[in-house]
Amino acid sequence: MSSPPVDDFIAREARFGARNYEPLGVVLSRGEGVFVWDTQGNRYLDCLSAYSALNQGHCHPKILAAMVEQAGRLTLTSRAFHNDQLAPFYEEIAELTGSHKVLPMNSGAEAVESAIKSVRKWGYEVKGVPDGQAEIIVCANNFHGRTLGVVGFSTDAATREHFGPFAPGFRIIPFGDLAALEAAITPNTVAFLVEPIQGEAGVIIPPAGYFTGVRELCTAHEVMLILDEIQTGLGRTGKLLAEQHEGIEADVTLLGKALSGGFYPVSAVLSNNEVLGTLKPGQHGSTFGGNPLACAVARAALRVLVEEGMIENAAVQGERFLQGLGSIRANTVREVRGRGLMLAVELNPEAGRARRYCEALQLEGILAKDTHEHTIRFAPPLVITSDQVDWALERIAAILTQDLT
Ligand SMILES: *Cc1c(COP(=O)(O)O)cnc(C)c1O
C-alpha cells in the first residue's frame, strides 16, 4: 500500500492552513495505546499525548465503543431538552471528584472563560463586590488557553501581541510566591486562577507547601481558588487531581483534555460551593456543552482511567521515568523536573534549541515536544509500561549525550 509522500501533506497544509503551529515533520495516520504510526508505517512512542488529552492512550477500545454506540443513537439535543447521558455524567464526575456542581463545556479555554464569568457573578451577588470592580489574580507564565479573555492576562509576548485591546480585571503575580498573593488580594478580589503545575511554562512545580498557603489565604480573604487542572488533572501527575498532592481542595476545578480520552472536546467546570449556583437560565450556555455524545465519551474516559489503574500506573511509571532522566549524565541537561508522567528536561542554553533534540528523538521513534526554546516535555499516555519507559530512556539518553548545536 502506498501513500502520498510526507512532504505532500505538509506542503498542502502550509498552502491552505493558517500557520499558527510549527509541527514536527511527521504525518500520523494511526494510533493505538502509547503508539502512533506515520503514513509511511513508522512507529513512534507518543511522549506528548496531545498535551495530556490522551492519558488513556490512543483509541482506547472501551471509549471507542461508547462513542460509536452513542453516535448511532443520539448525538446532540442542545440544552433546550434533557438527554439521558447528562445526569449520569454529572453524578459520576461529581462522585469521582467530590464536587457538588458541574458545568459542561467543550474546550479547555471555554471552561476557563466559564469559571471567570461564574466567579465574577459570585463576587457581585454573594461576596458583595461593587458591580464591574471584580478582580481575579493570575500567575506570570500562566497558560489557560487562547481565547481573547484568556490571552489578555498571559505574560507571553507571542500569545498576546497585537490581539488587544484586552479585558481589565486581572492582576498578575509570580507563581509560587505566597507573599505576592497576599499583597495582591483586595476587597474586590473574587478569585485566584492558577495551574497546580505550570505545564506550558515547562512543567514548573511550585515550592512544597505553596498550595497549602494559597488555600489558607483564599479562605481567609473569601477568594475563590480556581485550579486549572485541564493538563494536570485526570491522573497525569499520579493522582486523580494534582491538588491531592497538596492535600487541599479547590473551590472551582477545571477539567478538559483527557476528560474525553482524546476522542472529542469535552471540558467541565466543577465547583464545591455556591459559585455555579449563581448561574440562572439564560445567563450562560453552549450549543454543544453537555451533549449526549460528549457525556457518553467522558463517562467511558473516566471509567477506564479508574478501572484500569491508570492513575496508579502514572505514579509508578512517572517515578521510573524521572529517576531515569535524572540519571542521564550529559552536559546538555540543566535540570530534570516532573511529577507523575508530567516530565521535562531543561537543556543548558549552550546545548542549542530543544526543537533539534525533538527532531533527533523523532528519528529514534519518540515524539516529544519542545516548549520555550530550551525545554523538552515528556508526557506519555498513562498506560505506558516499565519496558516502554526503559526503551524510551535508552533513546533519550543517547540523544541528550549528543551535541546538536
Ligand atoms: C490546554 C490547556 C488549556 C486550554 O485547553 P483548550 O482545550 O486548548 O482550549 C487551558 N489550561 C491549561 C492548563 C491547559 O493545559
Side-chain angles (χ1 to χ4, degrees), residues 294-307:
C295 291
V297 166
R299 293 176 67 198
L302 292 174
R303 202 156 50 235
V304 301
L305 196 69
V306 173
E307 281 178 4

Side-chain angles (χ1 to χ4, degrees), residues 44-382:
Y44 305 88
L45 179 68
D46 183 354
C47 277
L48 181 65
S49 306
Y51 305 91
S52 295
L54 289 156
N55 287 1
Q56 298 88 339
H58 288 268
C59 298
H60 191 291
K62 288 187 177 156
I63 311 175
L64 174 64
M67 181 157 185
V68 169
E69 196 278 329
Q70 186 64 43
R73 209 153 58 78
L74 183 69
T75 56
L76 181 63
T77 54
S78 85
R79 297 288 304 281
F81 313 115
H82 296 277
N83 72 69
D84 67 359
Q85 292 298 308
L86 187 57
F89 168 65
Y90 281 170
E91 280 169 0
E92 287 161 21
I93 195 170
E95 153 114 45
L96 184 65
T97 59
S99 309
H100 299 156
K101 288 250 172 238
V102 186
L103 172 72
M105 297 297 287
N106 311 285
S107 69
E110 280 179 313
V112 176
E113 292 273 351
S114 304
I116 291 170
K117 288 174 71 176
S118 310
V119 293
R120 282 180 171 174
K121 207 157 200 306
W122 169 86
Y124 301 130
E125 296 176 5
V126 179
K127 187 172 178 177
V129 172
D131 193 34
Q133 304 291 305
E135 289 169 7
I136 294 172
I137 301 171
V138 299
C139 285
N141 302 315
N142 69 71
F143 184 84
H144 298 290
R146 298 293 195 167
T147 55
L148 269 180
V150 170
V151 301
F153 56 82
S154 170
T155 56
D156 179 51
T159 300
R160 278 175 64 89
E161 216 165 66
H162 294 164
F163 293 124
F166 300 116
F170 298 94
R171 279 182 183 234
I172 300 168
I173 60 169
F175 182 61
D177 184 341
L178 268 185
L181 176 61
E182 186 157 29
I185 294 173
T186 75
N188 292 342
T189 305
V190 296
F192 178 40
L193 167 63
V194 61
E195 299 156 83
I197 295 171
Q198 288 189 320
E200 297 312 294
V203 186
I204 309 299
I205 302 171
Y210 173 63
F211 275 103
T212 316
V214 165
R215 181 64 273 178
E216 284 167 7
L217 280 176
C218 288
T219 303
H221 296 275
E222 214 189 344
V223 168
M224 290 296 115
L225 172 57
I226 309 173
L227 286 184
D228 181 345
E229 297 242 23
I230 291 167
Q231 190 164 145
T232 55
L234 302 176
R236 175 52 58 191
T237 69
K239 303 260 191 205
L240 177 74
L241 299 174
E243 68 173 18
Q244 294 171 301
H245 291 288
E246 311 279 342
I248 62 153
E249 275 184 41
D251 299 298
V252 179
T253 299
L254 309 180
L255 293 179
K257 293 202 164 111
L259 188 49
S260 69
F263 279 83
Y264 196 85
V266 187
S267 67
V269 180
L270 309 173
S271 86
N272 60 359
N273 54 44
E274 64 270 72
V275 170
L276 284 176
T278 61
L279 295 178
K280 299 290 179 302
Q283 296 176 346
H284 187 60
S286 162
T287 303
F288 278 83
N291 75 71
L293 184 57
C295 291
V297 166
R299 293 176 67 198
L302 292 174
R303 202 156 50 235
V304 301
L305 196 69
V306 173
E307 281 178 4
E308 298 181 14
M310 294 179 194
I311 303 169
E312 296 78 7
N313 191 57
V316 171
Q317 302 305 339
E319 197 50 44
R320 189 181 188 95
F321 212 133
L322 184 63
Q323 295 265 321
L325 290 176
S327 67
I328 297 172
R329 293 281 153 260
N331 294 333
T332 50
V333 178
R334 177 174 185 168
E335 191 183 43
V336 165
R337 296 184 287 270
R339 186 162 289 165
L341 283 168
M342 188 169 180
L343 301 143
V345 172
E346 187 175 330
L347 303 173
N348 279 314
E350 310 83 68
R353 293 182 63 206
R355 168 108 184 170
R356 299 274 294 103
Y357 293 83
C358 292
E359 286 163 358
L361 284 167
Q362 179 195 332
L363 299 178
E364 295 289 322
I366 294 176
L367 294 182
K369 181 72 176 78
D370 52 301
T371 177
H372 289 275
E373 206 67 11
H374 298 298
T375 302
I376 311 170
R377 163 175 31 193
F378 295 100
L382 311 187

Side-chain angles (χ1 to χ4, degrees), residues 28-50:
L28 302 175
S29 57
R30 189 162 75 84
E32 187 184 326
V34 296
F35 294 114
V36 285
W37 286 262
D38 68 16
T39 49
Q40 314 299 305
N42 301 306
R43 191 186 78 170
Y44 305 88
L45 179 68
D46 183 354
C47 277
L48 181 65
S49 306

